[in-house]
Amino acid sequence: MNRASARASANTWTEETQLGIPLGRSEHSMVWDSAGNGFLVFGGNKALNFKSDELYFYSAGTDSWSSKASGPSARYRHSAVLDPTARTMYIFAGETSSNTLNDLHRYDIALDSWTELTGTTGRSRHTAIWDESGDRMIVFGGLDSSSTRLGSLLIYDRATDAWSTPAATGPAAREGHVAVWDPSSGRMLMCCGLSDTTTLGDLWSYDGAWTQLSPSGSITARRYASAVWDPAAQAMLGFGGRGSSLLDSLFLYSSTADSWSEYTVSGPGAQEQGAVAWDAGNRRLYTYAGKALGGLLAELWRLDASHTSQTSTSSSTSASTTITSSTSLTSSATTS
């Protein structure tokens, strides 16, 4: 891959203490709780294809892990979002070893308790974001129970505990994509993923209608990556995934510059099917677990980010280019 990069010295990965870290897994979920100064990890696929129903909390202040209350059934390929005002996490759908799920559960962080809410049509390998101003969750894409790729939206309204299915023409049906919410512009940003046998690098916004964006610069098209929104930089920051091979690069979309950049910092190896969380107060990206060539990972890494000064781009695969793959895939990325 040919890259011209100008890296800021403060962009450094640090591997956190492994004491007490949960067993390796992939296709789990991860959300940051700023009030608790840490993140929650739920579910995932563990060794020997055992699905997890475990909930863990990692405290960044004490660099320690703790188990939390059990709730939803074991699963992977689900989504998780956090309502920061109410300090509640929502877990939606996903898969067991043989079934696609359609349930919705809410976890109250302060009470350490779960409540099952109204479900809807099931899906897996989808994305979900929380729109705090709208008090709602927006779900896009994924696979249905027949393994058909979806290009539809679902919206969950917290106040009414009800779902709606807005009609909106937009991106190709896909799985293994990433999505983040930009509260300043009131829009969801979605990119990448797998459509049929094509790995995508396109970028779209949704604010009630879909718009395809055409940023300057480029990134490697990828699937099964993970991404967060950095409100200070007004940027989407993602890590890893798979193009024609596993990737260890970070990719960044700056909404203010309307541009892509991609860069690699020495740290975690190439991987997919992991999860990330963003500590906005300290400008830190955390990535935990995932899948590498050697199998499932049980690693926690922290990136102290200064990506506002990044000017690197990748010329190997543009955002409008696709990679065709004949590989049969059984995995996906999670959302943050």
Side-chain angles (χ1 to χ4, degrees):
M1 179 181 295
N2 296 318
R3 291 194 184 109
S5 63
R7 298 194 196 108
S9 60
N11 265 328
T12 56
W13 284 107
T14 301
E15 187 170 11
E16 298 286 24
T17 303
Q18 297 296 295
L19 183 64
I21 196 168
L23 294 175
R25 66 197 60 216
S26 63
E27 302 171 285
H28 49 293
S29 61
M30 188 166 158
V31 298
W32 181 264
D33 172 34
S34 58
N37 190 30
F39 59 78
L40 292 157
V41 171
F42 176 75
N45 185 45
K46 301 197 299 183
L48 302 176
N49 289 321
F50 284 110
K51 307 303 179 280
S52 171
D53 62 354
E54 302 154 322
L55 177 64
Y56 294 99
F57 178 73
Y58 172 77
S59 169
T62 61
D63 188 22
S64 63
W65 293 84
S66 58
S67 297
K68 296 299 180 181
S70 59
S73 59
R75 70 194 62 206
Y76 69 145
R77 300 172 179 170
H78 55 283
S79 60
V81 298
L82 184 80
D83 174 356
T85 302
R87 287 192 76 202
T88 52
M89 177 179 67
Y90 292 82
I91 298 293
F92 173 59
E95 291 183 41
T96 65
S97 297
S98 57
N99 296 312
T100 299
L101 301 168
N102 62 2
D103 52 347
L104 176 67
H105 298 257
R106 181 181 64 222
Y107 174 71
D108 187 303
I109 297 174
L111 298 178
D112 188 27
S113 65
W114 290 92
T115 302
E116 185 167 5
L117 305 169
T118 301
T120 186
T121 306
R123 61 180 68 194
S124 65
R125 306 179 183 178
H126 53 284
T127 54
I129 60 87
W130 184 259
D131 171 9
E132 191 173 359
S133 63
D135 202 20
R136 62 181 185 165
M137 177 172 66
I138 303 175
V139 174
F140 173 70
L143 295 174
D144 68 12
S145 58
S146 300
S147 296
T148 300
R149 291 186 178 89
L150 301 169
S152 58
L153 292 156
L154 294 170
I155 294 181
Y156 173 77
D157 182 79
R158 186 205 62 81
T160 60
D161 186 30
W163 293 87
S164 59
T165 54
T169 302
R174 67 189 67 200
E175 55 159 308
H177 47 293
V178 296
V180 298
W181 179 252
D182 173 5
S184 62
S185 62
R187 63 178 181 169
M188 177 174 70
L189 295 169
M190 186 281 299
C191 82
C192 307
L194 181 68
S195 179
D196 297 325
T197 58
T198 302
T199 298
L200 302 167
D202 52 348
L203 177 65
W204 294 75
S205 69
Y206 177 76
D207 59 2
W210 285 106
T211 301
Q212 185 168 9
L213 306 179
S214 300
S216 61
S218 62
I219 62 168
T220 304
R222 64 190 68 204
R223 62 209 187 252
Y224 311 138
S226 45
V228 296
W229 176 252
D230 175 2
Q234 291 289 290
M236 175 174 65
L237 176 65
F239 172 68
R242 178 180 288 274
S244 57
S245 60
L246 288 178
L247 300 167
D248 63 352
S249 58
L250 293 146
F251 59 101
L252 178 85
Y253 170 69
S254 168
S255 65
T256 53
D258 190 25
S259 65
W260 282 117
S261 59
E262 181 175 356
Y263 54 103
T264 302
V265 179
S266 179
Q271 57 191 270
E272 61 180 340
Q273 306 169 27
V276 294
W278 178 250
D279 173 3
N282 293 299
R283 305 291 304 283
R284 289 172 172 173
L285 180 77
Y286 288 86
T287 179
Y288 162 65
K291 187 176 181 182
L293 287 178
L296 297 178
L297 300 170
E299 301 173 351
L300 173 62
W301 290 81
R302 185 193 77 232
L303 177 76
D304 292 271
S306 61
H307 49 257
T308 51
S309 63
Q310 290 293 336
T311 59
S312 63
T313 61
S314 166
S315 60
S316 64
T317 308
S318 75
S320 60
T321 304
T322 60
I323 297 172
T324 300
S325 170
S326 59
T327 304
S328 176
L329 296 168
T330 58
S331 56
S332 75
T334 57
T335 189
S336 351

